[in-house]
Amino acid sequence: MLVVGLGNPGAQYEGTRHNIGVEVVELLASRHGGRLRKSKELALTDEVHVGGRRLALAFPQTYMNLSGDAVGLLVKRYGIEDPAHLVVVHDELDLPVGRLKLKMGGGLAGNNGLKSIKAHLKSAEFGRVRIGIGKPPSSQRGADHVLRHPTKAERTELDVVVQEAADAVELILSDGFEAAMNRYNARRAGD
């Protein structure tokens, strides 16, 4: 299985709402003795073993809107022929802060990173681990909201959901996507 955390490269983007998917991939690498390193696939990558199963981890270095450039290369490198063996972890404006929702295939909710991946794979039937970052205040554009750092209260909630999202990825690997959806989609923020 290949897990891709979406975000933007560069120190100025670390800790922003848009890079929450990257935080999950970094946590998974850390939990399982891995370390993301530069690869020729336009991404930071590593492979770890979780419960005897191989898990490839990646953080595209192409910026969010061009994520498909890296994902297309990564899918080839890791021999991912079934899009269901690709899981993309990303921020989601349409979910409240701290809410975690898993989804297989479906719409792209205006996420340009997902649009780019679909264009390269010619399929939207990959798994998603969606992490709620909430809608921006009416005075702020969505692009400004995602590129800013969360408030202190939001950061506390996001730290918890990053752990839960990593747990969800591990459950997908061990028990399958449906089992993980049944467990995590039934939960509500604060449960």
Side-chain angles (χ1 to χ4, degrees), residues 101-180:
K101 192 150 177 114
L102 281 61
K103 177 177 162 181
M104 181 60 73
L108 308 175
N111 184 306
N112 290 329
L114 296 178
K115 287 178 187 175
S116 176
I117 292 168
K118 178 185 177 183
H120 278 78
L121 300 183
K122 313 247 184 304
S123 172
E125 297 310 305
F126 49 88
R128 296 94 186 266
V129 174
R130 304 161 59 213
I131 299 174
I133 60 167
K135 293 200 179 290
S138 58
S139 63
Q140 193 178 80
R141 294 178 333 139
D144 293 332
H145 180 68
V146 299
L147 294 175
R148 291 202 171 131
H149 288 84
T151 66
K152 198 171 184 180
E154 289 172 337
R155 183 74 253 177
T156 300
E157 287 187 59
L158 292 173
D159 287 344
V160 170
V161 80
V162 164
Q163 298 281 338
E164 290 177 344
D167 295 345
V169 167
E170 292 169 349
L171 187 61
I172 292 167
L173 186 63
S174 66
D175 293 7
F177 209 90
E178 189 145 336

Side-chain angles (χ1 to χ4, degrees), residues 18-189:
H18 224 17
N19 277 38
I20 201 77
V22 176
E23 292 180 31
V24 174
V25 166
E26 290 172 337
L27 176 60
L28 285 163
S30 174
R31 275 186 186 177
H32 300 286
R35 190 171 64 85
L36 299 174
R37 297 174 194 86
K38 280 187 181 180
S39 72
K40 61 183 180 230
E41 291 82 17
L42 307 174
L44 301 179
T45 63
D46 200 5
E47 283 184 52
V48 297
H49 286 83
V50 181
R53 296 176 191 250
R54 192 177 84 166
L55 180 64
L57 302 169
F59 167 23
Q61 297 295 287
T62 53
Y63 291 93
M64 178 72 81
N65 294 352
L66 300 174
S67 296
D69 294 352
V71 173
L73 295 170
L74 290 162
V75 162
K76 286 183 183 127
R77 173 182 174 181
Y78 292 109
I80 305 294
E81 294 177 8
D82 180 352
H85 293 148
L86 168 65
V87 175
V88 178
V89 186
H90 64 91
D91 60 293
E92 180 65 61
L93 287 166
D94 292 333
L95 292 175
V97 175
R99 180 81 162 88
L100 178 67
K101 192 150 177 114
L102 281 61
K103 177 177 162 181
M104 181 60 73
L108 308 175
N111 184 306
N112 290 329
L114 296 178
K115 287 178 187 175
S116 176
I117 292 168
K118 178 185 177 183
H120 278 78
L121 300 183
K122 313 247 184 304
S123 172
E125 297 310 305
F126 49 88
R128 296 94 186 266
V129 174
R130 304 161 59 213
I131 299 174
I133 60 167
K135 293 200 179 290
S138 58
S139 63
Q140 193 178 80
R141 294 178 333 139
D144 293 332
H145 180 68
V146 299
L147 294 175
R148 291 202 171 131
H149 288 84
T151 66
K152 198 171 184 180
E154 289 172 337
R155 183 74 253 177
T156 300
E157 287 187 59
L158 292 173
D159 287 344
V160 170
V161 80
V162 164
Q163 298 281 338
E164 290 177 344
D167 295 345
V169 167
E170 292 169 349
L171 187 61
I172 292 167
L173 186 63
S174 66
D175 293 7
F177 209 90
E178 189 145 336
M181 282 196 306
N182 288 339
R183 178 166 180 186
Y184 288 95
N185 288 358
R187 301 171 83 178
R188 298 216 162 143

